[in-house]
Every structure is written in C-alpha cells, then in structure tokens.
Amino acid sequence: MMTYQIIAPVIPSGQIYQFNTAFDVDYEVRFGRKKENVLHTVVVFGVLNDEYEGEEYSLTNKGDVFKVMNTISEIIRMYMHEHPSMRTYEFTGILGEDEDENQMSQRTKLYTRYLPKVFPENQWETEISGNKIIANRKREYY
C-alpha cells in the first residue's frame, strides 16, 4: 500500500496529522472529540494550500486520489493505535457543487471503499446516513 510521508503530531497522542503529495498539495487530517462523548471523534481532512482559496474540501484532480486515501487511512490507523479506547469515528462526505443533497456524494462513496481497510467488520459496525458515516466499535472489542 503506497502512502505519502506522514507528519505525525509532536506529541504521539496529538490530534493533527499532515502530509504533502508529489504534486506539492498539503493535506491536514484532524481528529476532534465530541463534547458530550470523549470516546467519539470526528475525522476531518482537507487541503491547506492557498491556491485552493482556503477551501479545505477542494478537489485537486491531481490523479493521486488512491494514494491520498491510502495515506488518510494509515493516519486513522495511527490515531487508533494511539487512542485504543475510542469507540466511535465519524466522517462526512461534503457535497460537490453539482451534487444533489438527497443523494450520496461522490466523496462519501469514495470513503465507503476504504472503510473495511480501516474498520474491519469483525470489530466495527459502520452505518451510513446520507453523507455521514459512523463507525462504532463492537462491544466485545471495548
């Protein structure tokens, strides 16, 4: 599995990871815990480059989507290793400009391809509601 070089947080239990692609696109992956449940984290990732006008969810169309997604998957696994008590991970596939809000976004469809690589079915239950994906650790794996 090919990934880009990952810049992990200075403190291993940190919440912000970064990587730079071969096309000089900088990505950031953040993990934010829910106030009402510290064992539930929301995963957010996007582009940092100014050329994308501060729109972190920009489509870069550089042809490296699989390597980018493999890198993000590896970062999630790294975070999971550092935070073994986490029970829930949440993602939202933001809609593209021309996408219907009543349909699953292309981003969400892409994310679903990587779910089994990060959240094995024997340990995690995943549910998709619209463009929100929630992965819950099965009770026997707490």
Side-chain angles (χ1 to χ4, degrees):
M1 172 176 65
M2 297 288 295
T3 64
Y4 287 111
Q5 183 174 346
I6 296 167
I7 303 165
V10 176
I11 300 169
S13 63
Q15 266 98 7
I16 301 172
Y17 294 72
Q18 295 181 339
F19 64 96
N20 182 277
T21 71
F23 301 99
D24 211 28
V25 177
D26 297 316
Y27 281 85
E28 179 176 83
V29 181
R30 291 179 171 262
F31 297 85
R33 294 190 185 193
K34 294 268 194 168
K35 283 184 179 179
E36 63 276 3
N37 182 355
V38 296
L39 299 179
H40 181 141
T41 190
V42 177
V43 183
V44 178
F45 50 91
V47 177
L48 296 175
N49 299 55
D50 288 338
E51 69 192 80
Y52 296 101
E53 300 174 359
E55 178 53 50
E56 68 177 327
Y57 299 110
S58 294
L59 293 175
T60 61
N61 292 325
K62 300 290 185 182
D64 64 344
V65 67
F66 300 114
K67 193 167 183 180
V68 167
M69 288 304 298
N70 280 336
T71 305
I72 292 168
S73 297
E74 181 59 25
I75 288 171
I76 295 169
R77 284 190 289 274
M78 291 169 67
Y79 184 85
M80 291 169 78
H81 176 77
E82 292 296 330
H83 301 86
S85 296
M86 288 305 234
R87 294 188 182 159
T88 304
Y89 288 85
E90 179 179 322
F91 310 82
T92 300
I94 304 300
L95 289 168
E97 289 180 19
D98 60 341
E99 292 184 300
D100 180 353
E101 64 184 52
N102 297 316
Q103 302 253 332
M104 184 184 292
S105 74
Q106 292 301 312
R107 292 178 191 203
T108 302
K109 289 177 185 176
L110 176 64
Y111 300 167
T112 61
R113 291 181 61 185
Y114 287 83
L115 288 175
K117 296 177 182 185
V118 180
F119 302 102
E121 290 181 12
N122 66 332
Q123 297 175 16
W124 295 86
E125 293 174 340
T126 56
E127 65 180 71
I128 301 169
S129 177
N131 286 303
K132 184 183 287 188
I133 300 170
I134 297 179
N136 289 300
R137 186 183 306 268
K138 291 184 177 180
R139 193 162 220 26
E140 59 266 26
Y141 289 97
Y142 284 5

